[in-house]
Amino acid sequence: MIKLTFSMIVLIGFFAACRSNNMIACISTDKDTAMVGDTIIFNDCSGYDGDTEAATLWFGDGNKTIILNREPIKHVYSSPGKYEALISIGGPEQGSRFSDTIVIN
C-alpha cells in the first residue's frame, strides 16, 4: 500500500510539472534610437517553460509579425516618432507581455 501511494504521488507531481507554463516575455533591440529608414533587429529573449515556440511582436507602427523559434526579426520604421514595441507569448490566461520603447528621428 505504501508503494502504491508513493507511486501515485510521483505520478501526480509529474503531470503537474508537465503542465507548468512559466513564461516571461522579453524583447531586445540592437538600437534604442535610430533614424528613419534604419534597420532595427528585434531579438526574442523570452523565457519559455513549456511548449510555446511562437510569439507575436507588434512594432507600434501598425505592423506586427510572428516570431518562430526565436529567430531575429528586422524592421524599418518609415516615420519619426516614439514607438512601443510589444511582444506577447502564450495565451491571454497564462501568457506574458513585455514592451520596449524605440525612438526614431
Side-chain angles (χ1 to χ4, degrees):
M1 183 66 169
I2 292 174
K3 209 174 206 182
L4 179 61
T5 303
F6 176 74
S7 296
M8 288 178 67
I9 290 171
V10 170
L11 189 60
I12 291 169
F14 173 76
F15 284 118
C18 287
R19 291 188 336 204
S20 173
N21 286 327
N22 296 323
M23 298 180 198
I24 300 173
C26 172
I27 193 78
S28 65
T29 59
D30 65 332
K31 303 171 188 154
D32 292 327
T33 304
M35 301 299 291
V36 170
D38 287 353
T39 299
I40 298 177
I41 299 172
F42 292 83
N43 291 295
D44 179 3
C45 53
S46 302
Y48 300 94
D49 191 16
D51 61 358
T52 300
E53 296 177 359
T56 303
L57 174 61
W58 289 269
F59 297 105
D61 62 355
N63 294 301
K64 73 176 182 178
T65 191
I66 303 296
I67 301 173
L68 297 173
N69 300 316
R70 299 186 187 195
E71 293 179 17
I73 300 294
K74 295 178 182 178
H75 186 69
V76 176
Y77 290 91
S78 59
S79 300
K82 197 178 212 181
Y83 297 94
E84 183 178 1
L86 173 76
I87 187 170
S88 176
I89 60 174
E93 294 179 17
Q94 298 177 343
S96 178
R97 291 179 166 213
F98 177 82
S99 63
D100 193 12
T101 302
I102 300 157
V103 176
I104 304 297
N105 297 310

